[in-house]
Amino acid sequence: MNSLIFFCNFCFLPEICTNVSRDVCFVLFIAMASGTALIYDDEMTSYKLLWDDPVCDIEVPERLLASYEQLKHYHLVERCVHVPIREATEEEIMLVHSSEYLEVVKSTQTMNEEELRRVSGNYDAVYFHPNTYRCAKLAVGATLQLIDSVMSGKVLNGMALVRPPGHHSQRNAANGFCVFNNVAIAAQYAKRKYGLQRILIVDWDVHHGQGIQYVFEEDPSVLYYSWHRYEHQKFWPLLRESDYDAVGQGEGKGFNINVPWNKVGMGNSDYLAAFFHVLLPVAFEFAPELILVSSGYDSGIGDPEGQMNATPECFAHLTHFLMQLANGRLCAVLEGGYHLKSLSESVCMTVKTLLGDPLPLISGNMAPCLSAIESIQNVRAAHKPYWKCLMYEEATPLQDLSTKSQQMMEAELIQTSTHPVAEQAVGTANSDEVIKTDRFLESHMKKILFPVPPVKTAAAIVSKADAHLLPILVQVEMEMNAQQLKTLISGVDAELVTEEKALLSLQNMVAVLDKILKKEVCNGIAESPVASVSTTVALKHCIGFGLQRVLCIVVGDMDLELDLDDGKILLINICQKRRSEKTNSKYHISLHWKEDGEKNNFSSAVLGFILPVAYSYQPDLLIIVFGPNRSIGINGVSLLTSLLQGLAKSQSLVVIQDTEIKLVQSVAKALTAVSTPDFGAYAPASQENVLEIKRLRDQLQQEWKMLQCSVKDWISGT
Ligand code: X5A
Ligand code: ZN
């Protein structure tokens, strides 16, 4: 939705600026995008398979119907902006396809069944119906409508539910249920119509979108990322060029990223690991202007094609990460997905996340399996020459299963027994397995979904005069009586809190924290003149409330007196000074980060260390503290706060000692997600900082398994 908002050049917030500096700042009119488009039309259910074909019989109209029904069930449809579909023009289709091929598809409109069978037989895993051509034009048109809605600022992001899918189709060929390449056409269209120079395509469908790869192989302006079931080329489409060493060609070298999965049963932790250690670092460096997701859900649990194990909420987390790029401009376009329940729940998780709802906790044992780590290592090694973020990657020889040592094979046997492996009969759309997954998902979704707190963000800021500089937040009044507070701060260095201002801020902070714990708000901000005391009090309060795992990230030099042995608190301190010689322990980690200018160089620490540890720990609540002497700039603060919001159902408290209004504003923006993120231009971290991350990873990857991204790590971890 288009909202015209005053944008203050001084405070950079969508508020009508009324502060003292109003006279010296420029007030601009800015159209800030918000809202989520949903594009669907049941006309795209008007074609189906007319004969017996065990390869194609999973691609049914019910895929769209079931997904849309489930969106209605969760009341997500009414929260989206409805955008009508249209037919793509021939010119648009020819951005990717040849006119000869277009004529072939066009000619199927008037064919009888026998002729349709014959044309279908010319392609691999394809069926035509008299309505296929019409639907294929609508699928492309729907995708282009989505691009236009996002690029015009009518909405921030959106999803198009389309049939037929697109990512396998090629210039001269239909392939794998795909007729026109919706996403590839969309990328070409966006480049041409909006002059975009960097588009990221993320293909999380379980099949390799070789059609997209072919179109952009030599094009450095489109970065194509795909993970796919590969099994050393034993899985369809059986192509050599789906392996990790297909990095692009000519000018496009480095802009094609394939993560081949060589085993079935990949799950949430494997997908997250591929994001942390491959896609996200490269994507932050690439800095796309638009993200297209080839959004196939056959990579989800229960799918007869993929045989993978990712549960629906995994797609919420993947979506959330991608929303931090390209100023939030994200277009998801349906590709595959053949288990109706798994497909529809995953579609819902994607749309819900696009709408800005807090994410459910991600389930499962957070440890990638050996085969996944092997693939990830290979991709990182193959792409090291092209990306600064991989610059210090050890140039390890690429692992091959055939050369694997006996020790590794044995280790893997142990591992697979703890890793959920899908053992399903292939291609049995009506088997017991499908029903089993239905039942599993029914109860799983009840477990993980939760009511969204009525208020997103609460704030306790010391000077009420600053309140108007923040996005529309809730101001929390003092709620605690003196007696309660006394109990709370007993045992804490009370000397520090004799000052009335300090006491008041402490009371306000606890009031905010209580609202988070009672789930009246999602998250909150508290300013505090003595952050160390506030943090200690907040942590004690959380443990007293009965929380089992609180992740506390302290940015700055700060001493906290805490008992960190029972694992109820995990403390990560990002500090300038190397203070004690004490080595890191599982629950008390010091990350020494040297100030590196006001550049966006903190992403390597967040993606390569903090997020993997945080996801391994699976906190119930998050406390982020910005104390004195912080060594990361405002961009780093925003990045850290935004990316961590996927954890702990977004239940987080940010404590800020610095009263610098810019800092408070950046945190407020990240917590409310009112404005689209902008973390500044990418700059590689200094070698010193990168080596610190590496050292920590080596030290702790046995305790926090999501840190593992090379086979060497995995072996020493067993
Ligand atoms: C879009 C999509 C899969 C084709 C599988 C053929 N196609 N065995 O998921
Ligand atoms: Zn697929």
Side-chain angles (χ1 to χ4, degrees), residues 55 125 165 167-168 176-178 205 207 236 298 305 335-338:
V55 172
H167 69 154
H168 297 303
F177 318 151
C178 301
D205 186 283
H207 300 96
W236 191 90
D298 40 17
E305 277 286 309
E335 300 277 3
Y338 308 100

Side-chain angles (χ1 to χ4, degrees), residues 690-702:
V690 175
L691 291 178
E692 166 73 358
I693 298 297
K694 229 174 161 169
R695 196 179 61 82
L696 280 179
R697 216 154 54 192
D698 284 347
Q699 239 175 58
L700 291 158
Q701 41 87 9
Q702 300 187 27

Side-chain angles (χ1 to χ4, degrees), residues 500-715:
E500 191 170 337
K501 194 176 156 199
L503 201 65
L504 186 68
S505 77
L506 211 53
Q507 284 176 311
N508 284 339
M509 178 201 72
V510 174
V512 170
L513 185 54
D514 270 331
K515 294 209 168 207
I516 296 169
L517 293 169
K518 287 191 209 137
K519 302 188 168 39
E520 293 166 16
V521 305
C522 273
N523 51 36
I525 292 186
E527 253 184 4
S528 161
V530 269
S532 57
V533 176
S534 297
T535 306
T536 311
V537 169
L539 285 167
K540 290 202 169 168
H541 194 63
C542 289
I543 301 307
F545 188 83
L547 296 190
Q548 290 304 304
R549 288 184 302 281
V550 182
L551 172 59
C552 181
I553 299 184
V554 174
V555 182
D557 295 327
M558 202 186 283
D559 272 313
L560 294 174
E561 307 257 321
L562 290 166
D563 174 18
L564 295 164
D565 292 333
D566 61 2
K568 288 192 175 177
I569 299 169
L570 164 57
L571 179 66
I572 303 179
N573 188 3
I574 301 155
C575 47
Q576 300 249 33
K577 293 186 258 172
R578 193 178 295 274
R579 280 165 314 146
S580 64
E581 288 313 306
K582 216 176 67 183
T583 49
N584 287 309
S585 63
K586 181 169 185 182
Y587 297 109
H588 191 175
I589 303 169
S590 297
L591 194 170
H592 300 103
W593 191 262
K594 283 261 170 64
E595 187 146 23
D596 206 0
E598 257 307 293
K599 297 187 218 146
N600 174 23
N601 52 23
F602 194 57
S603 60
S604 60
V606 180
L607 302 171
F609 186 76
I610 298 168
L611 279 179
V613 170
Y615 271 85
S616 302
Y617 183 56
Q618 296 266 44
D620 310 317
L621 189 125
L622 190 64
I623 297 180
I624 310 175
V625 187
F626 296 106
N629 290 330
R630 81 188 138 79
S631 56
I632 63 173
I634 293 281
N635 286 332
V637 167
S638 304
L639 185 76
L640 179 70
T641 312
S642 298
L643 279 167
L644 285 168
Q645 292 310 306
L647 289 149
K649 303 177 190 161
S650 197
Q651 295 180 98
S652 46
L653 174 70
V654 180
V655 178
I656 300 177
Q657 173 155 334
D658 208 326
T659 48
E660 186 193 340
I661 191 68
K662 268 255 172 69
L663 179 68
V664 180
Q665 286 168 343
S666 297
V667 168
K669 282 207 244 181
L671 290 180
T672 53
V674 286
S675 61
T676 58
D678 184 4
F679 308 121
Y682 172 84
S686 65
Q687 181 167 15
E688 195 183 354
N689 281 340
V690 175
L691 291 178
E692 166 73 358
I693 298 297
K694 229 174 161 169
R695 196 179 61 82
L696 280 179
R697 216 154 54 192
D698 284 347
Q699 239 175 58
L700 291 158
Q701 41 87 9
Q702 300 187 27
E703 318 278 4
W704 306 115
K705 298 218 184 310
M706 290 304 299
L707 289 169
Q708 300 174 350
C709 60
S710 83
V711 172
K712 168 186 96 266
D713 298 344
W714 196 92
I715 288 299

Side-chain angles (χ1 to χ4, degrees), residues 214 234 328:
Y214 298 153
K234 299 253 154 43

Side-chain angles (χ1 to χ4, degrees), residues 54-56 58-59 63 124-126 164-168 175-178 205-208 235-237 296-298 303 305 334-338:
V55 172
C56 293
I58 51 175
E59 204 293 296
R63 298 177 52 239
D124 185 6
V126 171
H167 69 154
H168 297 303
N175 183 280
F177 318 151
C178 301
D205 186 283
V206 86
H207 300 96
H208 182 215
F235 187 70
W236 191 90
Y297 297 94
D298 40 17
D303 192 278
E305 277 286 309
L334 185 67
E335 300 277 3
Y338 308 100

